[in-house]
Amino acid sequence: MLEKLKEAYHFIFEDELLNEIHKSGQLKEFKAGEIIIDFGDYVKSMPLLLEGAIKVLREDSEGDELLLYFLERGDTCAMTLNCCMGTTKSEIRAVAERDTRLIMIPIEKMEEWTAQYKSWRNFVFESYHTRLTEMLDTIDTIAFLNMDERIMKYLQDKAKINQDEFVSSTHQQIAYDLHTSRVVVSRILKKLEIEGKIKLNRNQVEVLNL
């Protein structure tokens, strides 16, 4: 685990802190599609992503979901930081986008390292800033892009985060993530295929315009 930890975070943390993370953290593995953190969970630890990717979703009052952002190796989730520090229930759902390995950091260590290590403080503050920027991008996407552009951006983001131009998602899954209907998604995907931007396969979309 230490080797993977250093691969992902050596440019952020000093060796002393990496060894502390290795000693105190708990390694967890999740298969693609598994829920890592769910709505209403009490979050007692913070994830550091070693391998894979995670999508983070928010739920509205009617139970519909909206994709907020993706996490990849070297990231953490600012929403879980907020829950840990405030001991409040999770307001997000984190789902493994592909097979994922992460280290869970206990809340008491988060507080200790914030006081002890400047690199950890900088990482936490930078994570807040990055995730806030991504959520503002999501708001801009909803407010200013039409659904054609939103779906195309979603497919490009998924392809990049998974490092694969083939996006394995059903039309219904795309509709859930973008808070729209399957009928609308199917119609727009066919339009994008005619325009030469994607190629549709069974439960899979090939992104031609990366």
Side-chain angles (χ1 to χ4, degrees), residues 2 4 14 21 28-30 34 41 70 84 109 122 129 138 141 157 161 181-182 184 187:
L2 183 58
K4 288 292 183 182
E14 57 267 55
I21 294 171
K28 290 199 172 185
E29 298 184 2
F30 296 88
E34 281 192 272
D41 286 352
F70 291 101
C84 284
K109 288 298 180 181
N122 290 342
H129 178 265
T138 298
T141 297
D157 288 347
I161 204 77
S181 72
R182 184 191 59 78
V184 169
R187 174 176 57 78

Side-chain angles (χ1 to χ4, degrees), residues 150-160 164-165 167 169 174 178 189 192 198 205-207 210:
R150 285 182 63 196
I151 289 176
M152 193 65 221
K153 182 178 184 301
Y154 168 87
L155 293 172
Q156 290 171 330
D157 288 347
K158 289 258 291 187
K160 289 172 184 174
D164 187 350
E165 66 269 25
V167 175
S169 294
I174 297 171
L178 296 182
L189 288 176
L192 292 173
I198 63 170
V205 181
E206 183 181 359
V207 183
L210 282 174

Side-chain angles (χ1 to χ4, degrees), residues 187-198 200:
R187 174 176 57 78
I188 291 175
L189 288 176
K190 192 62 184 175
K191 177 175 177 285
L192 292 173
E193 184 176 43
I194 291 170
E195 293 173 354
K197 296 177 180 178
I198 63 170
L200 296 175

Side-chain angles (χ1 to χ4, degrees), residues 28-30 49 51-54 96-102:
K28 290 199 172 185
E29 298 184 2
F30 296 88
L49 198 52
E51 293 178 350
I54 296 171
E97 177 69 16
R98 60 178 191 268
D99 290 354
T100 295
R101 301 176 76 203
L102 47 82

Side-chain angles (χ1 to χ4, degrees), residues 31 53 58 66 72 99 106 111 142 161:
K31 295 292 185 183
R58 181 72 188 263
L66 176 68
E72 53 189 330
D99 290 354
E111 295 170 344
I142 295 169
I161 204 77

Side-chain angles (χ1 to χ4, degrees), residues 34-201:
E34 281 192 272
I35 294 175
I36 299 168
I37 298 168
D38 208 354
F39 305 116
D41 286 352
Y42 280 103
V43 182
K44 301 297 184 183
S45 54
M46 182 190 100
L48 294 179
L49 198 52
L50 296 179
E51 293 178 350
I54 296 171
K55 67 178 178 181
V56 178
L57 306 123
R58 181 72 188 263
E59 187 178 53
D60 68 13
S61 59
E62 297 180 354
D64 294 320
E65 295 176 359
L66 176 68
L67 176 67
L68 294 180
Y69 49 77
F70 291 101
L71 301 173
E72 53 189 330
R73 190 177 81 163
D75 285 340
T76 191
C77 178
M79 299 292 282
T80 61
L81 286 171
N82 187 55
C83 291
C84 284
M85 303 308 282
T87 62
T88 58
K89 290 183 179 180
S90 171
E91 297 180 351
I92 56 96
R93 171 177 288 156
V95 181
E97 177 69 16
R98 60 178 191 268
D99 290 354
T100 295
R101 301 176 76 203
L102 47 82
I103 296 179
M104 303 301 290
I105 305 300
I107 183 172
E108 62 270 14
K109 288 298 180 181
M110 292 167 53
E111 295 170 344
E112 178 185 323
W113 295 341
T114 299
Q116 188 174 352
Y117 295 103
K118 182 180 178 181
S119 62
W120 180 263
R121 288 197 302 275
N122 290 342
F123 174 68
V124 169
F125 294 144
E126 181 63 29
S127 295
Y128 272 119
H129 178 265
T130 301
R131 302 289 88 79
L132 175 60
T133 299
E134 289 173 337
M135 283 192 284
L136 290 174
D137 286 344
T138 298
I139 292 169
D140 287 347
T141 297
I142 295 169
F144 303 121
L145 298 184
N146 61 39
M147 188 54 71
D148 296 35
E149 294 169 318
R150 285 182 63 196
I151 289 176
M152 193 65 221
K153 182 178 184 301
Y154 168 87
L155 293 172
Q156 290 171 330
D157 288 347
K158 289 258 291 187
K160 289 172 184 174
I161 204 77
N162 287 304
Q163 300 174 359
D164 187 350
E165 66 269 25
F166 291 94
V167 175
S168 297
S169 294
T170 65
H171 295 193
Q172 187 62 68
Q173 287 169 329
I174 297 171
Y176 280 142
D177 284 349
L178 296 182
H179 204 336
T180 186
S181 72
R182 184 191 59 78
V183 173
V184 169
V185 169
S186 297
R187 174 176 57 78
I188 291 175
L189 288 176
K190 192 62 184 175
K191 177 175 177 285
L192 292 173
E193 184 176 43
I194 291 170
E195 293 173 354
K197 296 177 180 178
I198 63 170
K199 182 177 179 182
L200 296 175
N201 303 303

